[in-house]
Amino acid sequence: MRYSALMTDLYELTMLAGYFDEEMHDKPAVFDLFFRKAPFQGSYAAFAGLAPALEYLEQLQFTGEDLDYLSSLGLFKPRFLEFLRDFSFRGSVTAPPEGTVVFPTEPLLTVEGSLAEAQFVETALLNIINFQTLVATKAARLTTAAGPDSTVIEFGLRRAQGPDGGLSVARAAAIGGVFGTSNVWGGQVHGIPVKGTHAHSWVMAFEEELQAFRAYAECFPESCLLLVDTYDTLESGMPNAITVARELRERGHEILGVRLDSGDLAYLSREARRMFDEAGFPDAKIVASNELDEHVIHSIRDEGGRVDIYGVGTKLATCHGEGGGALGGVYKLVQFDGKPRMKTTSDISKATLPDRKSVWRVLEKNGDFHLDLITSDGEEPKPGDRVYDPANPVRQKTLPHDAEFESPRRQVMQDGNICVELSTLEQARDRCMDQLQRLPAGSLRLTNPHIYKVSISQKLHQLRDSLVARHEP
Amino acid sequence: MRYSALMTDLYELTMLAGYFDEEMHDKPAVFDLFFRKAPFQGSYAAFAGLAPALEYLEQLQFTGEDLDYLSSLGLFKPRFLEFLRDFSFRGSVTAPPEGTVVFPTEPLLTVEGSLAEAQFVETALLNIINFQTLVATKAARLTTAAGPDSTVIEFGLRRAQGPDGGLSVARAAAIGGVFGTSNVWGGQVHGIPVKGTHAHSWVMAFEEELQAFRAYAECFPESCLLLVDTYDTLESGMPNAITVARELRERGHEILGVRLDSGDLAYLSREARRMFDEAGFPDAKIVASNELDEHVIHSIRDEGGRVDIYGVGTKLATCHGEGGGALGGVYKLVQFDGKPRMKTTSDISKATLPDRKSVWRVLEKNGDFHLDLITSDGEEPKPGDRVYDPANPVRQKTLPHDAEFESPRRQVMQDGNICVELSTLEQARDRCMDQLQRLPAGSLRLTNPHIYKVSISQKLHQLRDSLVARHEP
C-alpha cells in the first residue's frame, strides 16, 4: 500500500517547523506508543498493525506535489520546505510481534530518532496501530466467545470506514483469530480465505424459494450454502434446503449447509440441526449472522444453540461495544536530548512513564503469565524483586522466587529499515491464540474480567518520583 | 481515488455467477438503497458519499490480476471469468444531491440496470454511502450543538479506520458543516481548510512552558495558537500565553488564541475568556478539545462556556453514540424483469417498498418541510391526497390544501456515466445547513427529537398490500 506523507495532523508539521527553526530537530528523542485502558471493558488487547506501520515508516517521503500543497498554505518558510524534500525516517523502532497479547500502560512501540522524525510520525502510527489493534482485540473476543468448536468469519465491509477501512478490518480480524472474510479484496491482498454465498435478493429474483436454491446448487454443487430465512426458516427454508441436499447427494455432492440471518438464532439453530440430522445430513454446517457480537454469541451457546460458524459484520468492522469504537492509544515523549521527560499531572494514573524502558513478561513455572513488568532500559529483573503498581505506588508486590522472564519486544527497525522477519498473519494468529490461553483465570471473561497486573520496577518508580518532585512548586 | 473491483463481498460474485448460469444476468432490475432508522437516536441523516459512489461505478472494471485471483479460488467457471473481463456498470442511478437531509424508509439511491450490474455493486455502494452519510450526520449534530457563533473542526485522523478512513471522515464532516480538519491529506485531496498548532510534546521538549510558547510564536507570529494545559491551565498556561500575546503585539502581531485540552472546559473557557479580555485581547480565540461530542458541547454552552472553536476527534471519526457506529443502510431488489418485488416479513416495518418509486418533499407555504412522501414512479401527488404511514397503514393523513411539492432526487448517472454536475463540498454544506433550518420544530433536539413523517401514497400502499396478499398462504 502507498501511504501519503500528508497523512498527518497539521500540528506535526507546524511543530516540525518550530523545531527546525529552533535547531532542535536533530537532537535525539524517544517516544512511547501505549494505551491507558483496555478496550471493550476487557483486560487485554491483541497487538496488530506493526507490518503496515513499518511499511509507512520505510516509505515516508514528501512528493513535489505534497510540497507544493504545503507551500500553498502560506504557513511554512521555503528553507523548511527544502528540509522536507529530503526528509525520511532513519530512526529505530522496538515493538512486540503482531498477535502479542498486550496490556495498558506498557509501551507497545518505542520510536527513537531525531526529534523531527520521531515526532512527525505520531499521527500515522497512531492511526494504523490504534485501529488494527482494536479490531484484532474485538476479533479475539469473538473467537473466545465462539469457543473451540466453532469459527468466526468477518462480513463487515459494507459498514466499514470506506474501502481501505474494510481492508484493515479483514487483516486485523485474522490476527485476532477470525477465520475468513467476505471481503474479496481482503482475500486478494492478505491471503485470507474468502467466504460467502447468496443474499435474500437471490431468492427474491426467482418465483419460488426452491427454484432459487436449486439454481444455486446447480452452479455451486461443491460449495452450496443456502440462506434459509427469506420467507420462513423452519416452514419453508429448511425443508427446501433438505430437498436440495438430497438432490445434490443423488448427483454425488454434499450440501455445505445453511445460513440463518434473522429470528431466535439459538432456537432456530437447534431446530435446523435436528432437521438436518434427522434427514441424514449430520455434516451440514449451520452458519448464523445478524447483528452478532461476543455477547450474543455467548448467549446463543449458553442456550444450547448449534452454530458451527458465526458471521460477524457491523459490530466487528465498527468495533462496537462499551469502551469500544476507538483504542485510546497515545504517543508520548519520554526522553529528549538524553534526558528523561514526562507529562506531570494531578492524576498519577495519567502521568507518563519517563525514559527508555524495557517490558518483561513474568512467567509461572508452566509458562502461564504471572504479570508484566516495566523496567528502566538495561535493568535486569530478578525473582524476589519488589515491584510497584504504576497508578498507585503504595501497592507493592514481590516477584515469585521461581519467576522466569521473557521480553516480548525486540528491535524491529534500525536506521529506517526493517531489521527482522515480520510475522505472517498465520503466525500472528497462532501467537495470539496461544497467549490468550496463558492468561490468569478470568482474564477472558467478557464482563468484569480479572485485571492482569502490570507493574513497574523500583528503579523506574524512583525515577518517576524524582521527576515529579522537580516539577512541584 | 482508485477502487478495486474486488472491494466486494464474495456473495456478490457467487450470485453473479449463478445469474449468469441461469441466463438471468441480463434481465432488468431495480434496487433501492435506504436506511430504516436514523443514526444517533436522531430524526434525520445528512446524505453524503454520492460523488465517490459514482466515481466507483464509472471505474468499475476487473484487472487481469483480479481475474487471476478469482480463478485461483476454484469457485468460478472460465466462461464466467471471461464475462467478468468485459464487465462494467452501464446502468442508471437516481439520488439526491449531497448535503440533502434525508429520512428513514425513503430510497436514497435507486440503481437500475441489468440484474448483474445492479446487484454486483451492492457492497461497494453500501460501504461508501453508509459511512459518509453517518459521518456527515454526526458532523451536522455537532455543528447544530455548537450553535451559530462557534465552529467545529475535525481532529480524528489518529482514531480513524486506517488512512483512507481518515480521508472519508474529513470529506463527509465538511458536508455536515464542520469547518476544517487537522488531516493535511484531507486538505490536499478535498480542499478543506487545515487546522492545528502544537501538542503537549512541544511544551515538554523545552525546559519551561514560556520558552516553548515564545519559540512557537517566533515561528508562527501570524497563526499563534498555544496549548495551555500541559502543566496548569490557569496558573501557568494562560499567564504565559498572555505574556507571549503582549510580546507578539509589540512586534505588530496578534495572538490567534489558546487551546484547552483537559479539565472542566465550561469553567476553564469562561476563566480564559475573562483573563484574555482583562489583558486587552478580546479577539483571541478559545479552542476546546478532549473527548467532545454533541452532548458535551451542548452542556458546555448550557453552563455559559465561552468556546469559539470545538475540536472533535475520536467521537466524530468513529461516529460514537447510541445507535451510532454504523448507518444500517440496506440495498434491496424492488423490481425484476419488469415486475415489482418485495421481501415479505411478519414485521411490516421491515417489509420493503416494492417497485420503482419517487420521493417528494411536501413543503409548507414558507418553504419549511411538512413531510416526505413516497409514491409509485410516475405518480403526481396533489394537495388533499390521502397518505399512509408505511409502518402502520391504519395511521393516515390528508395533505394540506396548500401543500407544495419538491422532488429532492434526480437522475445522476445514465448508461454508466455521470450525467449532472455534482455539488462541491461547499454547496453540499450550504444545502445541509439550509435544510436543517427548515425541519419542524424539535427535529434537531439531541435526545428524543420530533420524528419527521415519511408517508406513502395510496397507490403504493395498495401495491404493497396486493403483493403481501399474494405471498400469504
Side-chain angles (χ1 to χ4, degrees):
Chain A
M1 156 144 199
R2 151 101 184 104
Y3 295 96
S4 169
L6 298 189
M7 182 182 97
T8 186
D9 290 320
L10 181 63
Y11 80 1
E12 310 292 3
L13 281 162
T14 50
M15 285 194 281
L16 193 48
Y19 292 136
F20 182 73
D21 260 18
E22 294 288 313
E23 293 178 359
M24 292 162 71
H25 62 288
D26 263 343
K27 295 193 173 160
V30 182
F31 286 81
D32 279 345
L33 190 158
F34 62 99
F35 60 92
R36 293 198 175 96
K37 203 168 171 290
F40 312 111
Q41 303 187 324
S43 67
Y44 68 90
F47 179 65
L50 182 63
L54 297 178
E55 198 187 341
Y56 160 79
L57 292 175
E58 280 198 335
Q59 281 179 15
L60 179 58
Q61 201 176 1
F62 291 87
T63 65
E65 209 182 14
D66 295 341
L67 295 171
D68 291 346
Y69 172 71
L70 291 179
S71 170
S72 78
L73 296 177
L75 276 171
F76 303 110
K77 296 169 191 159
R79 206 170 64 94
F80 174 66
L81 295 172
E82 275 313 301
F83 164 75
L84 289 187
R85 194 177 296 281
D86 296 323
F87 184 77
S88 64
F89 183 83
R90 316 292 339 145
S92 76
V93 177
T94 301
E98 292 189 272
T100 300
V101 173
V102 294
F103 302 95
T105 315
E106 61 193 28
L108 305 179
L109 268 64
T110 295
V111 178
E112 308 187 40
S114 69
L115 179 59
E117 64 197 2
Q119 171 69 68
F120 178 76
V121 300
E122 174 184 30
T123 303
L125 291 183
L126 286 172
N127 173 286
I128 296 166
I129 300 288
N130 270 338
F131 185 61
Q132 295 222 11
T133 297
L134 186 70
V135 172
T137 308
K138 186 71 169 179
R141 289 171 63 82
L142 291 161
T143 309
T144 307
D149 300 328
S150 300
T151 54
V152 178
I153 56 183
E154 183 267 309
F155 280 175
L157 177 58
R158 62 188 60 197
R159 304 283 161 77
Q161 288 197 2
D164 283 10
L167 206 56
S168 303
V169 168
R171 179 183 192 278
I175 292 175
V178 161
F179 185 70
T181 178
S182 69
N183 181 346
V184 185
W185 196 26
Q188 181 190 34
V189 173
H190 296 304
I192 304 165
V194 290
K195 302 286 171 190
T197 56
H198 67 82
H200 297 113
S201 61
W202 171 270
V203 177
M204 288 157 65
F206 293 80
E207 288 299 324
E208 303 287 341
E209 188 180 53
L210 182 58
Q211 189 189 352
F213 286 0
R214 279 182 173 139
Y216 196 82
E218 183 71 36
C219 189
F220 296 103
E222 287 298 328
S223 56
C224 180
L225 198 136
L226 301 168
L227 178 62
V228 290
D229 73 330
T230 305
Y231 302 114
D232 186 309
T233 300
L234 299 180
E235 296 295 318
S236 167
M238 279 304 298
N240 284 332
I242 286 169
T243 301
V244 168
R246 290 197 174 108
E247 292 169 3
L248 272 171
R249 186 172 280 177
E250 279 167 20
R251 288 181 281 133
H253 305 289
E254 286 295 310
I255 193 170
L256 210 61
V258 293
R259 177 158 72 98
L260 313 172
D261 189 43
S262 59
D264 181 334
L265 296 172
Y267 169 72
L268 293 173
S269 64
R270 285 197 309 269
E271 288 301 299
R273 179 76 276 150
R274 186 184 56 73
M275 290 166 85
F276 264 142
D277 289 352
E278 287 176 11
F281 298 95
D283 294 329
K285 300 278 182 243
I286 295 172
V287 183
S289 53
N290 190 27
E291 297 294 310
L292 298 183
D293 65 11
E294 61 270 45
H295 302 286
V296 177
I297 291 174
H298 184 267
S299 97
I300 289 172
R301 288 183 68 199
D302 207 42
E303 294 180 33
R306 297 291 300 275
V307 174
D308 300 292
I309 299 168
Y310 296 94
V312 186
T314 306
K315 293 185 176 174
L316 174 51
T318 65
C319 293
H320 182 269
E322 281 304 309
L327 180 73
V330 294
Y331 188 81
K332 297 290 178 189
L333 181 68
V334 295
Q335 195 197 81
F336 178 57
D337 206 11
K339 281 179 276 184
R341 294 287 161 127
M342 66 182 290
K343 188 184 173 209
T344 56
T345 151
S346 53
D347 179 358
I348 191 146
S349 74
K350 278 206 153 187
T352 53
L353 294 172
D355 218 353
R356 296 177 75 217
K357 296 176 286 295
S358 297
V359 178
W360 301 91
R361 194 141 282 173
V362 181
L363 305 175
E364 320 239 334
K365 238 3 216 185
N366 66 358
D368 282 359
F369 298 170
H370 183 71
L371 58 73
D372 276 16
L373 176 64
I374 310 171
T375 66
S376 290
D377 187 44
E379 203 184 340
E380 286 275 346
K382 300 179 306 298
D385 277 356
R386 193 141 199 82
V387 299
Y388 296 75
D389 181 336
N392 182 0
V394 177
R395 286 165 68 177
Q396 303 173 16
K397 210 175 145 81
T398 303
L399 295 183
H401 69 280
D402 58 352
E404 296 185 7
F405 299 88
E406 230 176 54
S407 174
R409 306 199 310 162
R410 58 188 171 157
Q411 188 171 353
V412 292
M413 177 167 269
Q414 181 159 30
D415 303 328
N417 297 307
I418 297 173
C419 62
V420 293
E421 194 158 337
L422 298 175
S423 302
T424 64
L425 290 186
E426 291 72 23
Q427 289 168 335
R429 184 208 332 256
D430 290 347
R431 177 177 298 118
C432 185
M433 299 301 108
D434 168 60
Q435 296 197 359
L436 289 175
Q437 295 318 310
R438 293 159 70 191
L439 292 181
S443 302
L444 301 183
R445 203 181 302 133
L446 293 178
T447 42
N448 297 324
H450 167 81
I451 298 302
Y452 184 75
K453 282 200 179 43
V454 177
S455 300
I456 59 175
S457 68
Q458 190 164 33
K459 185 172 164 194
L460 182 56
H461 166 63
Q462 287 167 347
L463 172 65
R464 184 168 70 165
D465 259 11
S466 71
L467 289 170
V468 170
R470 198 195 303 169
H471 267 288
E472 267 167 10
Chain B
M1 157 140 196
R2 153 100 186 102
Y3 295 97
S4 168
L6 297 189
M7 182 184 94
T8 186
D9 289 319
L10 181 65
Y11 80 1
E12 310 291 4
L13 281 162
T14 50
M15 285 194 281
L16 193 50
Y19 292 136
F20 182 75
D21 260 20
E22 294 289 311
E23 290 177 3
M24 292 162 71
H25 62 290
D26 264 342
K27 296 195 173 161
V30 182
F31 285 81
D32 280 344
L33 189 158
F34 62 98
F35 61 92
R36 292 198 176 97
K37 201 165 171 293
F40 311 112
Q41 303 188 324
S43 69
Y44 69 91
F47 178 64
L50 183 62
L54 296 179
E55 196 186 343
Y56 160 79
L57 292 175
E58 280 197 339
Q59 281 180 14
L60 179 57
Q61 201 177 0
F62 291 88
T63 65
E65 208 182 15
D66 295 341
L67 296 170
D68 290 348
Y69 173 70
L70 292 178
S71 168
S72 78
L73 296 177
L75 277 170
F76 303 108
K77 296 167 191 162
R79 207 169 65 94
F80 174 66
L81 294 172
E82 274 314 301
F83 165 75
L84 289 187
R85 194 176 295 280
D86 297 322
F87 184 78
S88 64
F89 183 82
R90 315 293 339 148
S92 76
V93 177
T94 301
E98 291 189 271
T100 300
V101 174
V102 294
F103 302 96
T105 316
E106 60 193 31
L108 306 178
L109 269 64
T110 296
V111 179
E112 308 187 40
S114 69
L115 179 59
E117 63 197 2
Q119 171 70 66
F120 178 76
V121 299
E122 174 184 29
T123 303
L125 292 183
L126 285 172
N127 173 286
I128 295 167
I129 301 288
N130 270 337
F131 184 61
Q132 296 221 11
T133 297
L134 185 71
V135 172
T137 307
K138 186 71 171 179
R141 290 171 62 83
L142 291 162
T143 309
T144 306
D149 301 327
S150 301
T151 54
V152 177
I153 56 183
E154 182 267 309
F155 281 174
L157 176 58
R158 63 188 58 197
R159 304 283 160 78
Q161 288 196 3
D164 283 11
L167 205 58
S168 302
V169 167
R171 181 184 191 278
I175 291 175
V178 162
F179 185 71
T181 179
S182 68
N183 181 345
V184 186
W185 195 28
Q188 182 190 34
V189 173
H190 296 304
I192 304 165
V194 290
K195 302 287 172 190
T197 55
H198 68 83
H200 297 115
S201 60
W202 171 270
V203 178
M204 287 155 65
F206 292 80
E207 287 299 324
E208 302 288 340
E209 189 180 53
L210 183 58
Q211 188 189 354
F213 286 0
R214 281 184 172 139
Y216 196 81
E218 182 72 35
C219 190
F220 297 102
E222 287 298 327
S223 56
C224 179
L225 200 136
L226 301 168
L227 178 61
V228 290
D229 74 329
T230 305
Y231 301 115
D232 186 311
T233 301
L234 299 180
E235 296 294 319
S236 164
M238 278 304 299
N240 284 333
I242 287 169
T243 300
V244 168
R246 291 198 173 111
E247 291 169 2
L248 273 171
R249 187 173 280 177
E250 280 168 22
R251 286 180 282 135
H253 305 288
E254 285 296 309
I255 193 169
L256 211 62
V258 293
R259 177 158 72 98
L260 313 171
D261 189 43
S262 58
D264 182 334
L265 296 172
Y267 169 71
L268 293 173
S269 64
R270 284 197 312 268
E271 288 300 301
R273 179 75 276 149
R274 186 183 58 71
M275 291 166 84
F276 264 141
D277 289 352
E278 289 178 6
F281 297 94
D283 294 331
K285 301 276 181 248
I286 295 170
V287 183
S289 53
N290 189 25
E291 296 293 312
L292 299 183
D293 66 11
E294 61 270 44
H295 302 286
V296 176
I297 291 174
H298 184 268
S299 97
I300 289 173
R301 289 183 68 200
D302 209 41
E303 294 179 34
R306 298 291 300 276
V307 175
D308 301 292
I309 299 168
Y310 297 93
V312 186
T314 307
K315 292 186 177 171
L316 174 52
T318 65
C319 292
H320 182 267
E322 282 303 311
L327 180 74
V330 294
Y331 188 82
K332 296 290 177 188
L333 181 68
V334 295
Q335 196 195 80
F336 179 57
D337 207 11
K339 281 180 275 185
R341 294 290 162 122
M342 66 182 289
K343 188 184 175 211
T344 56
T345 149
S346 52
D347 178 0
I348 189 143
S349 72
K350 278 207 154 190
T352 54
L353 295 172
D355 220 351
R356 295 176 77 214
K357 296 176 287 295
S358 297
V359 178
W360 302 91
R361 193 142 283 173
V362 182
L363 304 176
E364 319 242 335
K365 246 338 199 216
N366 66 359
D368 281 359
F369 299 170
H370 184 72
L371 58 73
D372 276 16
L373 176 64
I374 310 170
T375 66
S376 290
D377 187 44
E379 202 184 341
E380 286 276 346
K382 298 179 308 297
D385 276 359
R386 194 145 199 77
V387 300
Y388 297 75
D389 181 336
N392 181 2
V394 178
R395 288 164 65 174
Q396 301 173 17
K397 208 177 149 78
T398 303
L399 296 182
H401 70 282
D402 58 353
E404 295 185 7
F405 299 88
E406 231 176 55
S407 174
R409 303 199 310 162
R410 58 189 172 156
Q411 189 172 352
V412 292
M413 178 167 268
Q414 181 158 31
D415 303 329
N417 298 307
I418 297 173
C419 61
V420 293
E421 194 159 335
L422 298 175
S423 302
T424 64
L425 290 187
E426 290 73 22
Q427 290 168 336
R429 183 209 332 254
D430 291 347
R431 178 177 296 114
C432 185
M433 298 300 108
D434 168 61
Q435 295 197 2
L436 289 174
Q437 296 315 312
R438 294 159 70 190
L439 293 181
S443 300
L444 300 184
R445 201 180 304 133
L446 293 178
T447 41
N448 297 322
H450 168 81
I451 298 302
Y452 183 76
K453 281 198 179 44
V454 177
S455 299
I456 59 175
S457 69
Q458 188 164 39
K459 188 172 163 194
L460 183 57
H461 166 63
Q462 287 166 348
L463 173 65
R464 185 169 67 165
D465 260 12
S466 72
L467 288 170
V468 171
R470 198 197 298 170
H471 267 287
E472 267 167 9

